[in-house]
Amino acid sequence: MTVPQQLSNYIDGRLQAPLSGNYLEHVNPATGEVAGHLPDSGHRDIQEAVNAAKAAFPAWSNTSPEERFTVLNRIADLITQYQELLAQAETNDNGKPITLSRTIDIPRAAANFRFFATAIMHFASEAHGMEDRGINYTLRQPVGVVGCISPWNLPLYLFTWKIAPALAAGNCVIAKPSEVTPVTSYLLSLICQEAGLPPGVLNIVHGTGPTAGEAIVTHPDVKAISFTGSTRAGERIASLAAPKFKKLSLELGGKNPALIFADCDWDKMMKETLRSAFANQGEICLCTSRILIEASIYDRFRNEFIEKASQMIPGDPLDDERRQGAVVSKAHQDKILRCIDTAKQEGGRIACGGKSVQPVGRCANGYFVQPTIIEGLGPDSQTNQEEIFGPVVTLQAFHSEEEALQLANASTYGLAATIWTQDLSRAGRLAAKVEAGIIWVNCWLLRDLRTPFGGVKNSGVGREGGWEALRFFTEPRNVCISF
Ligand code: NAD
C-alpha cells in the first residue's frame, strides 16, 4: 500500500476521479511543501455515492450482526497491520508528533472498528409489557444512507469513530474527511477493498465543506448527519438539515476549563495539565484552554507550569523524541498568532511563548507555534471566550469553590472540564454543576469507548460512543401487540 500523488474518491467499491476533474492541494505542515492532490468533489460525485449506497443498503442492512462483525473486525486487523504506514501518513498530513500517531491515533482507529464490531453483537432493544393487556417491543432499524463529516485534528481517529457505528448498525455511509488531512481516509478506502467490504456500503468522497460537505448535508436521500468540527460549520449544517428533518449529531468546539484546587495531587496534576493544554499542539477539542487555579497556589503553579512549558520546543514531528509538532496549516498558524495578538491588545501578559518557531533543516518552512501561556485576562475577554484550538492557554485565579464554578461556566461552550482535588465531595458537587458533557476528575482524556461523548451549549447536540452511537444510527420503531 502506498500514498499516490493524486488521491481518489472511493465510490461503489472503486477508486474514482472527481467528475469535474478538479483537484485541491494538500500540504505537509511540517515542511510547508505540497504533498499531493485530492479530489475537489461536488454534488455529482455525491449523487454517485448516494446511488451506490442506496443500491447496497437492502443487502447490507439485512446482513446478520455476525457478518458485519466479521468484516469490520477485518478492517480493524488491517489498520493494525498497516499501522506504521498510516502513522507516517497521519503525521505528514497533520504535523502531529509521530509518537502520537503511533500510540494514539492509529491504534484508536483500529479500536473504533473493533469496539463497534463487537458492540453490535450485544446491541438489544427494549420491551414494555402492559400486564395482561399486551406488550410493546422496540425495533431498532438502520436509518438508511447516512453522512459522516469529520475534521483535521484527529483525522483517522474521528473519521472511524463515526463510520464504524454507522456501518455496524447496518447503514450505508457517505463519508467526507477534512480536505486538510485526506490521506489516511484514502488509505482506509484501500483497506476496505482488501477487507472485502461490499461495494457501496462505505463511500469516501473528498472535497471542501461548502461543496462536497453541503452536497451530503442537503441530499434528500441522506437521512442522518454525524458531524464533528467547528461550531460555525455546525450552525450552518444545522440550518441546512433542520428544515429537512434529518437526524443530527453535532460534536463542536470547546473552551475547556481545568479547575485546580490547592489539595490536588500536585505532580499528577502538573503532568496531566501540561498534556491537556499542549497535546497535539492544543488541537484536540478536549484540550484545556482555561486554567483556573486556587489563589493560594497560583504563583507556585504559574512558575512551575511556565518552566515546564518553555521546555516543550516544537520541531520535526517525525523525530521519535519530539512532543510538539507543527500546527495543521499556514492559515491555522496565522489564526493562532492573531489570537495571541488579540490577547495582548486586550491587556493580557504573555508569560511563556507567544511566537512562531522556525526550526532548522527539513522543517525550516513549516508551521510551528510555541506553547503559550497568557495571564491577566478576565472571563469576558475575547481570549477567554473564543476557541483558539492551538497551544495557547490562559491562567486565572479563584478564591472559592463558587468562584471557580462561576469562571468555569463563563463560556458559551460546554464540552469538557477537568477538576483537580483530593476532596471527593467537592469533586462530586462540581462535577454535577460545571456545564460540560464530559468531566474528568484527577485525570484527562482517560477514555472508555462505552461512555457518552459530547457537549452542551455551543459544543454540540447529541452524544457519540457506546450505545448512544448505535441508537443515533438506528431508528426506533414501537410495535404494540394486544393480547
Ligand atoms: P471545520 O468545521 O472547518 O470542518 C470540519 C469538517 O466539516 C471538514 O470536513 C469540512 O470540510 C466540513 N465542513 C465545513 N463546512 C461545512 C459545511 N458548510 N457543510 C458541510 N461540511 C462542512 O472544522 P476543522 O477546522 O476541520 O476542525 C476544528 C474544529 O473541530 C474545532 O472547532 C474543534 O473544537 C472541533 N472538534 C470537535 C470535536 C468534538 O468531538 N466535539 C472533536 C474534534 C474537533
Side-chain angles (χ1 to χ4, degrees):
M1 209 162 62
T2 52
V3 179
Q5 273 296 306
Q6 192 163 285
L7 306 179
S8 307
N9 289 329
Y10 169 61
I11 296 175
D12 205 13
R14 293 191 306 275
L15 298 180
Q16 299 195 21
L19 291 168
S20 67
N22 295 336
Y23 287 82
L24 304 161
E25 286 180 346
H26 64 100
V27 172
N28 180 333
T31 63
E33 286 161 10
V34 174
H37 295 85
L38 64 139
D40 184 6
S41 311
H43 69 272
R44 288 192 296 146
D45 304 282
I46 298 300
Q47 185 59 56
E48 293 235 325
V50 171
N51 292 345
K54 280 172 69 179
F57 181 70
W60 180 249
S61 57
N62 274 310
T63 51
S64 64
E66 289 82 356
E67 287 172 275
R68 277 176 259 148
F69 163 84
T70 303
V71 67
L72 296 182
N73 218 25
R74 213 179 291 139
I75 294 172
D77 287 345
L78 287 169
I79 292 175
T80 304
Q81 184 182 319
Y82 293 117
Q83 177 159 314
E84 185 54 25
L85 173 82
L86 289 163
Q88 298 270 342
E90 204 71 297
T91 285
N92 287 334
D93 227 13
N94 171 277
K96 66 178 67 215
I98 187 71
T99 312
L100 269 192
S101 295
R102 281 190 188 125
T103 60
I104 307 278
D105 289 72
I106 307 306
R108 174 59 191 277
N112 289 339
F113 273 104
R114 206 159 274 133
F115 176 82
F116 285 107
T118 49
I120 199 63
M121 304 267 279
H122 302 267
F123 191 44
S125 60
E126 310 84 40
H128 299 90
M130 299 170 75
E131 297 77 42
D132 58 357
R133 288 175 295 156
I135 188 164
N136 296 274
Y137 65 90
T138 309
L139 290 174
R140 282 262 164 201
Q141 298 175 316
V143 177
V145 177
V146 301
C148 296
I149 301 177
S150 62
W152 48 254
N153 65 320
L154 300 165
L156 193 63
Y157 173 134
L158 289 175
F159 197 54
T160 53
W161 180 232
K162 299 182 175 305
I163 291 171
L167 295 178
N171 301 281
C172 290
V173 176
I174 318 294
K176 194 194 87 61
S178 168
E179 62 275 30
V180 183
T181 51
V183 176
T184 48
S185 52
Y186 165 80
L187 294 172
L188 182 66
S189 313
L190 307 186
I191 286 174
C192 289
Q193 286 181 322
E194 191 173 338
L197 187 71
V201 168
L202 170 63
N203 304 276
I204 299 176
V205 186
H206 297 271
T208 68
T211 52
E214 291 200 9
I216 297 172
V217 172
T218 54
H219 197 291
D221 293 332
V222 176
K223 301 295 180 198
I225 302 291
S226 173
F227 170 79
T228 298
S230 61
T231 295
R232 203 173 52 158
E235 191 179 336
R236 168 85 182 143
I237 288 169
S239 75
L240 294 170
K244 297 180 190 298
F245 306 110
K246 297 190 184 214
K247 275 190 113 171
L248 260 187
S249 164
L250 300 172
E251 300 293 338
L252 309 177
K255 193 73 186 174
N256 310 308
L259 290 69
I260 302 176
F261 288 87
D263 68 347
C264 66
D265 173 341
W266 185 267
D267 291 343
K268 186 176 181 200
M269 175 280 295
M270 183 54 68
K271 183 164 166 264
E272 288 297 290
T273 305
L274 281 160
R275 202 166 72 85
S276 75
F278 302 121
N280 206 44
Q281 301 72 243
E283 296 167 333
I284 303 180
C285 53
L286 305 162
C287 271
T288 297
S289 51
R290 296 179 295 136
I291 305 183
L292 314 176
I293 309 134
E294 192 161 4
S296 61
I297 54 163
Y298 184 91
D299 289 343
R300 181 183 172 204
F301 176 88
R302 172 194 186 279
N303 295 341
E304 193 173 326
F305 193 67
I306 290 172
E307 186 204 324
K308 293 205 154 83
S310 59
Q311 290 162 13
M312 300 170 85
I313 316 277
D316 191 342
L318 287 177
D319 173 356
D320 283 345
E321 303 303 316
R322 190 66 62 179
R323 292 295 173 267
Q324 287 288 298
V327 297
V328 77
S329 65
K330 175 82 174 84
H332 195 55
Q333 183 193 40
D334 289 346
K335 179 205 153 173
I336 297 168
L337 295 173
R338 266 198 316 276
C339 290
I340 295 171
D341 273 346
T342 302
K344 288 186 209 161
Q345 284 158 24
E346 296 189 291
R349 288 186 303 282
I350 310 300
C352 174
K355 296 196 172 70
S356 62
V357 179
Q358 293 314 129
V360 289
R362 189 182 88 92
C363 296
N365 296 317
Y367 316 126
F368 297 86
V369 178
Q370 294 173 321
T372 298
I373 302 168
I374 301 169
E375 284 184 293
L377 291 174
D380 299 331
S381 61
Q382 194 175 323
T383 306
N384 275 322
Q385 285 297 325
E386 285 182 9
E387 184 185 45
I388 299 172
F389 213 54
V392 180
V393 293
T394 62
L395 309 186
Q396 296 173 77
F398 64 82
H399 297 85
S400 64
E401 191 177 310
E402 292 68 38
E403 194 186 359
L405 182 64
Q406 236 169 38
L407 288 172
N409 288 343
S411 167
T412 54
Y413 292 102
L415 186 55
T418 54
I419 300 170
W420 292 94
T421 177
Q422 299 284 59
D423 179 344
L424 273 186
S425 306
R426 170 157 62 198
R429 275 194 304 275
L430 286 168
K433 288 185 189 155
V434 172
E435 292 161 358
I438 303 157
I439 309 279
W440 278 294
V441 177
N442 298 330
C443 58
W444 177 72
L445 207 44
L446 182 57
R447 289 281 290 121
D448 180 327
L449 303 189
R450 294 169 299 180
T451 59
F453 180 94
V456 299
K457 304 203 280 192
N458 290 2
S459 292
V461 179
R463 293 292 180 274
E464 298 187 307
W467 301 139
E468 300 277 348
L470 292 179
R471 289 195 189 108
F472 175 76
F473 284 117
T474 52
E475 198 68 74
R477 174 186 302 213
N478 191 66
V479 180
C480 178
I481 301 176
S482 166
F483 295 153

